[in-house]
Amino acid sequence: WHHHHEAEEEAEADSATMAHRDLARLRKQERASVGNYLRSIKLDSEFVEATVDRYRAQNVRFPLWANLRNGKWYGPSWDGAAYFKSTDGHSRHWAFSPTRLNLHFARSAAQHGGCFLVDSTRRGKAFPDSLTATLPIWCAVINRVVGGEREGAWDGDVHLPPWLSASEAAQIADRIETFVEALSATT
């Protein structure tokens, strides 16, 4: 019995030492991941600044907007903030939200000929869903609603990035009129 009890105590001590080492390793990884996260934000914000500077050097003076979902981290000051949800652009779940019309963003884009909208995405993705599909859907719907009230040519087509498959682009384009009808019914 005595040897069995000593073996249990040694196992508990070894277990406690291992748990302490594991905890120390997790803390170190956490500090490293927080540091990496902050470095990533810094690099991304420098990219945003450099991109805007490049356009402004060519006399393009679009206002700089943050998407409130993830973009506000990436700049010290903004001309405005919009709210485009990436889930509205998720594959096969495309949506247009009449509760997030972002008309203040539309007015700014119309007044200035365009806007920069800054957003981010999770690691491993090249481009945020909000900019891949949500924003192009929103632009097409708003342009069709506004264009329907104006004379002359008005671009109400959905303009999607080239990396979306032709099938996915066609499915999104097929839904635009339904989104327009739903929005028109609420106004």
Side-chain angles (χ1 to χ4, degrees):
W1 182 84
H2 182 67
H3 291 296
H4 178 68
H5 186 64
E6 283 179 1
E8 281 182 358
E9 285 179 355
E10 284 178 26
E12 285 178 14
D14 286 346
S15 178
T17 302
M18 286 175 46
H20 178 71
R21 275 192 298 240
D22 289 344
L23 186 58
R25 184 172 44 248
L26 284 173
R27 284 187 183 141
K28 184 177 179 184
Q29 288 173 347
E30 187 177 88
R31 281 192 302 274
S33 64
V34 168
N36 288 340
Y37 184 67
L38 293 173
R39 272 189 294 287
S40 175
I41 290 172
K42 183 179 184 301
L43 289 172
D44 289 347
S45 65
E46 289 169 354
F47 171 78
V48 168
E49 185 178 343
T51 301
V52 170
D53 286 348
R54 252 180 268 133
Y55 276 94
R56 292 198 170 145
Q58 297 172 29
N59 209 27
V60 176
R61 303 274 180 225
F62 293 155
L64 184 60
W65 285 65
N67 189 11
L68 288 176
R69 295 295 294 174
N70 268 346
K72 209 147 182 178
W73 290 95
Y74 299 99
S77 64
W78 303 96
D79 296 310
Y83 184 63
F84 292 98
K85 241 178 129 174
S86 65
T87 54
D88 291 342
H90 285 177
S91 184
R92 311 224 186 292
H93 299 286
W94 307 287
F96 177 86
S97 174
T99 61
R100 290 183 299 279
L101 289 179
N102 291 299
L103 295 179
H104 59 304
F105 181 72
R107 273 190 290 283
S108 181
Q111 289 169 348
H112 297 94
C115 289
F116 292 111
L117 180 68
V118 176
D119 200 3
S120 67
T121 191
R122 65 175 168 79
R123 190 176 93 188
K125 288 187 77 174
F127 213 74
D129 290 328
S130 61
L131 299 180
T132 299
T134 305
L135 190 63
I137 289 167
W138 177 86
C139 288
V141 171
I142 295 297
N143 281 340
R144 284 194 191 180
V145 170
V146 171
E149 298 176 5
R150 296 180 182 244
E151 289 185 30
W154 194 270
D155 186 358
D157 292 339
V158 62
H159 298 278
L160 297 162
W163 58 83
L164 287 182
S165 70
S167 170
E168 194 169 3
Q171 290 174 55
I172 292 171
D174 288 346
R175 293 185 183 191
I176 298 298
E177 196 55 39
T178 304
F179 298 148
V180 169
E181 290 167 4
L183 177 59
S184 297
T186 64
T187 55

